[in-house]
Amino acid sequence: MFTSVLMIEKPLSREDVEFVTTLHGDEEISFVVLMQPRGDQADLLLRAIDDIAIGELRDAAREDEVPEGEEARQPAELALEHSLAALRGQGSAATGQVVEEHPLDRLKEVVNEAGADEVIVLTEPHYVEEFFHRDWASRARHKVGVPVLKLFAHSE
């Protein structure tokens, strides 16, 4: 069985589930999903710049409303459960956890524990971080020892 560690920051959409479960054709695949709340993964200014870069001015003005810390835990757990159920609904084995601190350190541990074949980072675009190679995928490539695929999440 092929094992992918899937890093996400929001619930998987139907299109995301379809895409990641068919990446390897008919091969049986299992997922270990690491969910980190968006509010914890980048600072307020970088998130606002990303929103402006994609023309979401209203979202940029509301970035301070994104829950962080303990307030983000429950929505992250719900998003994780939704995503796991969706992956299982497509016939894939799926487990996961919410990662609040040091996501890349935990990613490396999970890759080793699961004997993962690859990492898939599925997030919305983070242009500033990507430009400076400070996004999860760029940093993970130097840390985990397996191929890292960067994909953009579909919008609802």
Side-chain angles (χ1 to χ4, degrees):
M1 180 177 296
F2 194 87
T3 303
S4 292
V5 177
L6 179 59
M7 292 188 74
I8 61 174
E9 62 188 7
K10 68 177 194 171
L12 295 175
S13 70
R14 204 171 355 155
E15 293 89 354
D16 294 331
V17 172
E18 178 71 24
F19 190 54
V20 299
T21 58
T22 60
L23 275 174
H24 300 288
D26 293 332
E27 188 167 0
E28 198 172 335
I29 187 165
S30 69
F31 292 94
V32 179
V33 181
L34 300 181
M35 168 72 192
Q36 186 183 28
R38 183 170 185 247
D40 289 349
Q41 75 98 33
D43 72 30
L44 183 65
L45 179 60
L46 290 180
R47 291 193 320 252
I49 292 171
D50 284 339
D51 290 335
I52 291 168
I54 60 173
E56 299 292 340
L57 298 178
R58 289 184 182 153
D59 288 346
R62 291 192 304 258
E63 278 298 339
D64 63 337
E65 298 171 12
V66 173
E68 294 189 24
E70 207 46 47
E71 291 178 13
R73 178 75 188 193
Q74 184 177 14
E77 288 174 355
L78 292 172
L80 175 63
E81 288 306 314
H82 165 82
S83 298
L84 293 175
L87 290 166
R88 291 175 188 142
Q90 288 291 92
S92 296
T95 61
Q97 61 189 270
V98 174
V99 179
E100 295 180 84
E101 296 181 15
H102 310 292
L104 293 173
D105 292 338
R106 185 63 189 134
L107 172 64
K108 184 175 181 170
E109 292 168 3
V110 168
V111 165
N112 291 334
E113 291 166 4
D117 298 293
E118 71 180 358
V119 170
I120 300 171
V121 178
L122 183 71
T123 65
E124 292 183 349
H126 298 293
Y127 297 110
V128 175
E129 292 171 341
E130 289 166 22
F131 180 78
F132 290 106
H133 303 284
R134 300 300 303 153
D135 59 298
W136 286 345
S138 296
R139 292 171 30 205
R141 285 186 181 105
H142 302 288
K143 195 167 192 117
V144 296
V146 297
V148 176
L149 180 60
K150 166 75 173 182
L151 300 173
F152 291 121
H154 291 83
S155 298
E156 295 285 336

